[in-house]
Amino acid sequence: MDFKNLIAHCKEYGFVFQSSEIYDGLSAVYDYGPYGVELKNNIKSYWWKSMVQMHENIVGLDSAIFMHPKTWKASGHVDAFNDPLVDNKDSKKRYRADQLIEGYAEKIEAKTVKDVEKAKTRFGDAFDEKQFRETNDRIIERQKQIEAVLLRLSTAMGAGDMDELKNMIEDYEIVCPESGSRNWTEVRQFNLMFNTQLGNIAGEEGKLYLRPETAQGIFVNFLNVQKSTRQKIPFGIAQIGKAFRNEIVARQFIFRMREFEQMEMQFFVRPGSEMEWYDYWKQSRLNWHKALGTDASKLRFHDHANLAHYANAAVDIEYDFPFGFRELEGIHSRTDFDLSQHQALSGKKLQYFDPEMNENYVPYVVETSIGCDRMFLAMIANSLQEENVPDAEGADSLRTVMKLHPALAPVKVAILPLLKNKEELTKAASEIYDKLKLSFNCQYDEKDAIGRRYRRQDAIGTPYCVTVDFETLENDTVTIRDRDTMEQHRVKISEINNEVEDKVKMENLL
Ligand code: GAP
């Protein structure tokens, strides 16, 4: 399904709404509707169970959003958490300079894609894309151009050279997508942290930040957690919570938001063993994604060319979103940067006594960090499909179905009396609903023809529909319909719970 329809589906079926929509919305802020909140909670639960519950040496935390302002000085966010910003003087629109330049490179690639498409049509089955790309002079030339642009960009970004970014915009004659003009301001650094003021302290002293990552709450609590749980290194601390970033350009629905949720885990290890753990978590996190049945060709690793100020190795797990491969999760080897910085600024020791080595040291950290909202978007994009299926008369009809992993589905089972105006059916269905709701998130629906009710459940990803018909009244059986195959079979009412449980339990993923 294309991206526009996906967004419309999310609204129509109560997954995601634009924040403050009645006031024309607040850009890059979203609310999760009744089915959205269930899906999001299930994603969080899968993450929490697999990271915390399944690891004896990983414990949880829920730290506050507000932290002492020195935290962000120590972490480097006050000085270095910036994006390069440029304004177009005619349209008054603001852009990220690096994204404008990347867009320029993407346009060159788009020409190649067009050429490839044309050649495909011309040569038919005999067409070999790899060979075509490697031998066509125009394409080779363009590829060199792209590589040169990206190298120049990464060098400028690495050096924080704003003048060079402006030179690039001018050299490549990049125009404003809105006004079409090249009337640009200088490129300047823009700090992404939101700030606010503590009630009783005026000025800089009382300046508070909304955390731009949850990780720092873990770092400053490192010793509290280690001492209270008597964990030995290697061990991890995990947390799920809100983070805030004043993104300059926030597009692509819930992919880049100003308020979002992160699921982060910091794994504290002996200095020198960090690369071993980095490789371990890289694989472990990829397996977590694959367990959901996500097509392996839609996931890939992408090593960072420019490392953040705190990292000695970093990789993204990218997902093939409807707008291309983008970062879904980051795995970073953060060295002892954060703990050492907090130690220096707070004057408090943040060291671990290693009984085996008989030595004190500041541990190294390997971090796994995934955006809950991005995971949500990946799961919707991965599962939402339109397919032709036979209707009641056997003719082709289009159905929209969300083939979510059953453990993530917002509603596990829908209970549907065949007819709404037959009290014996609605009564029996209500009784089944009242029992099943103790175990699962269920829905009772008696409105409209049964076919339409099935389609409504397909559209929100419900794995099972239970239909109560006249035979139910005779022999205590119901039909149970599978979302994906649309096949139905009869089961005893007493067996519904086990059958649903077998399919939807989180254990299937762990
Ligand atoms: N503690 C490390 C850290 O925050 P990051 O790569 O900046 O690293 C981690 O962010 C993850 O958080 C990303 O992989 C992404 O899934 C999510 N994320 C970051 N910025 C986001 C935004 N503006 N909107 C939604 N998700 C975001």
Side-chain angles (χ1 to χ4, degrees):
M1 182 177 286
D2 73 25
F3 197 37
K4 227 172 111 198
N5 287 333
L6 179 154
I7 296 170
H9 187 93
C10 282
K11 181 179 171 189
E12 185 181 347
Y13 285 91
F15 282 86
V16 183
F17 307 126
Q18 172 84 61
S19 159
S20 330
E21 198 189 58
I22 58 165
Y23 294 104
D24 295 332
L26 183 63
S27 159
V29 186
Y30 290 89
D31 299 335
Y32 286 84
Y35 301 117
V37 66
E38 296 290 343
L39 171 56
K40 203 171 177 214
N41 282 342
N42 292 340
I43 290 172
K44 289 194 253 186
S45 168
Y46 172 40
W47 187 85
W48 192 264
K49 280 186 200 294
S50 59
M51 298 299 276
V52 180
Q53 206 166 307
M54 299 297 286
H55 289 93
E56 265 175 64
N57 61 347
I58 299 183
V59 291
L61 181 75
D62 182 10
S63 70
I65 285 171
F66 289 136
M67 299 182 71
H68 194 286
K70 278 190 186 167
T71 308
W72 307 110
K73 187 75 191 156
S75 67
H77 284 84
V78 171
D79 298 318
F81 194 54
N82 301 316
D83 273 345
L85 171 155
V86 65
D87 291 303
N88 183 270
K89 291 183 199 160
D90 297 319
S91 68
K92 310 270 184 273
K93 289 269 171 202
R94 185 160 276 189
Y95 298 92
R96 258 174 67 175
D98 56 328
Q99 286 182 347
L100 283 177
I101 297 164
E102 275 168 8
Y104 172 74
E106 278 163 17
K107 273 190 190 144
I108 305 176
E109 171 60 17
K111 286 186 197 159
T112 295
V113 171
K114 239 185 190 168
D115 283 352
V116 169
E117 287 305 318
K118 263 195 220 154
K120 231 185 227 168
T121 332
R122 215 167 92 218
F123 297 115
D125 286 348
F127 181 66
D128 180 340
E129 181 174 335
K130 190 164 175 278
Q131 193 193 14
F132 183 69
R133 280 179 177 266
E134 283 169 2
T135 52
N136 183 293
D137 288 342
R138 257 195 325 210
I139 291 183
I140 294 170
E141 190 46 46
R142 282 198 207 116
Q143 192 51 36
K144 277 192 198 147
Q145 237 181 310
I146 293 173
E147 279 161 24
V149 171
L150 295 181
L151 178 67
R152 199 173 158 193
L153 174 63
S154 82
T155 312
M157 289 293 286
D161 189 343
M162 299 298 110
D163 293 340
E164 172 64 351
L165 292 178
K166 177 71 190 289
N167 292 339
M168 291 176 80
I169 290 175
E170 280 170 359
D171 292 351
Y172 302 141
E173 300 183 351
I174 295 174
V175 299
C176 166
E178 195 89 2
S179 65
S181 94
R182 286 195 266 144
N183 196 5
W184 296 107
T185 61
E186 293 308 303
V187 178
R188 57 194 187 283
Q189 297 276 28
F190 176 79
N191 193 286
L192 297 183
M193 281 196 294
F194 282 103
N195 59 60
T196 184
Q197 199 69 27
L198 206 62
N200 55 352
I201 305 174
E204 274 299 301
E205 284 282 285
K207 193 168 175 181
L208 278 189
Y209 296 99
L210 271 70
R211 66 179 178 199
E213 61 172 11
T214 60
Q216 298 305 324
I218 291 179
F219 288 122
V220 300
N221 276 300
F222 159 68
L223 272 190
N224 283 338
V225 174
Q226 190 271 323
K227 286 191 171 148
S228 56
T229 57
R230 288 175 291 118
Q231 286 287 348
K232 289 208 177 77
I233 269 177
F235 78 95
I237 306 176
Q239 106 163 302
I240 298 177
K242 289 267 185 173
F244 304 82
R245 295 183 189 178
N246 199 358
E247 301 283 358
I248 300 169
V249 184
R251 275 195 241 107
Q252 295 162 328
F253 194 35
I254 55 172
F255 179 80
R256 195 176 301 285
M257 301 157 87
R258 297 204 163 102
E259 174 180 340
F260 57 100
E261 219 163 350
Q262 288 186 315
M263 308 190 283
E264 298 201 295
M265 192 277 299
Q266 321 297 131
F267 201 68
F268 299 89
V269 304
R270 250 182 217 167
S273 69
E274 72 273 16
M275 290 320 289
E276 202 182 298
W277 285 110
Y278 174 74
D279 290 338
Y280 169 84
W281 282 112
K282 207 174 137 177
Q283 205 47 55
S284 166
R285 293 303 305 151
L286 185 67
N287 293 344
W288 184 88
H289 290 280
K290 284 188 178 164
L292 286 163
T294 308
D295 187 349
S297 70
K298 295 220 162 230
L299 292 164
R300 71 177 188 197
F301 285 126
H302 176 253
D303 287 308
H304 286 207
N306 284 317
L307 291 174
H309 58 277
Y310 50 74
N312 68 358
V315 67
D316 292 337
I317 295 177
E318 293 188 336
Y319 177 77
D320 190 6
F321 287 97
F323 36 85
F325 274 99
R326 296 283 189 286
E327 175 184 350
L328 171 60
E329 167 157 14
I331 294 113
H332 312 125
S333 172
R334 290 181 78 128
T335 68
D336 60 353
F337 175 84
D338 303 85
L339 287 180
S340 298
Q341 285 288 102
H342 288 306
Q343 192 170 254
L345 235 82
S346 67
K348 308 269 169 22
K349 274 214 155 73
L350 288 175
Q351 295 191 349
Y352 170 78
F353 176 72
D354 191 324
E356 282 170 38
M357 293 173 72
N358 201 23
E359 202 182 288
N360 277 305
Y361 55 78
V362 178
Y364 270 43
V365 171
V366 175
E367 161 187 80
T368 73
S369 174
I370 174 168
C372 185
D373 313 84
R374 271 191 204 177
M375 185 62 194
F376 183 104
L377 181 57
M379 288 301 92
I380 298 266
N382 198 56
S383 63
L384 191 57
Q385 312 175 5
E386 278 174 330
E387 57 181 26
N388 267 318
V389 292
D391 66 12
E393 282 79 44
D396 260 3
S397 81
L398 197 67
R399 79 157 175 164
T400 303
V401 56
M402 211 181 251
K403 290 189 176 171
L404 284 168
H405 191 288
L408 298 188
V411 176
K412 305 301 187 200
V413 52
I415 297 95
L416 319 169
L418 186 63
L419 299 170
K420 164 177 158 178
N421 46 10
K422 290 278 177 228
E423 206 193 324
E424 56 278 41
L425 295 184
T426 54
K427 186 166 169 278
S430 300
E431 279 169 17
I432 295 173
Y433 170 75
D434 283 338
K435 263 193 216 133
L436 290 181
K437 75 182 181 191
L438 296 170
S439 310
F440 314 107
N441 193 31
C442 302
Q443 206 169 67
Y444 174 88
D445 188 7
E446 57 178 30
K447 197 168 168 279
D448 296 325
I450 193 77
R452 286 187 70 174
R453 280 182 272 164
Y454 286 153
R455 292 296 154 84
R456 269 205 296 270
Q457 295 301 327
D458 289 344
I460 61 167
T462 308
Y464 279 130
C465 286
V466 161
T467 305
V468 175
D469 55 19
F470 293 103
E471 206 180 318
T472 310
L473 307 175
E474 287 163 20
N475 61 10
D476 280 345
T477 65
V478 293
T479 64
I480 189 158
R481 172 188 181 267
D482 182 285
R483 174 196 68 196
D484 299 343
T485 62
M486 298 194 306
E487 274 165 18
Q488 303 189 22
H489 63 274
R490 290 204 84 85
V491 291
K492 283 212 153 308
I493 292 174
S494 56
E495 284 164 10
I496 306 173
N497 205 309
N498 281 351
E499 185 158 343
V500 176
E501 173 70 13
D502 262 1
K503 184 144 177 168
V504 308
K505 64 187 173 197
M506 201 61 89
E507 266 168 76
N508 294 339
L509 285 171
L510 301 173

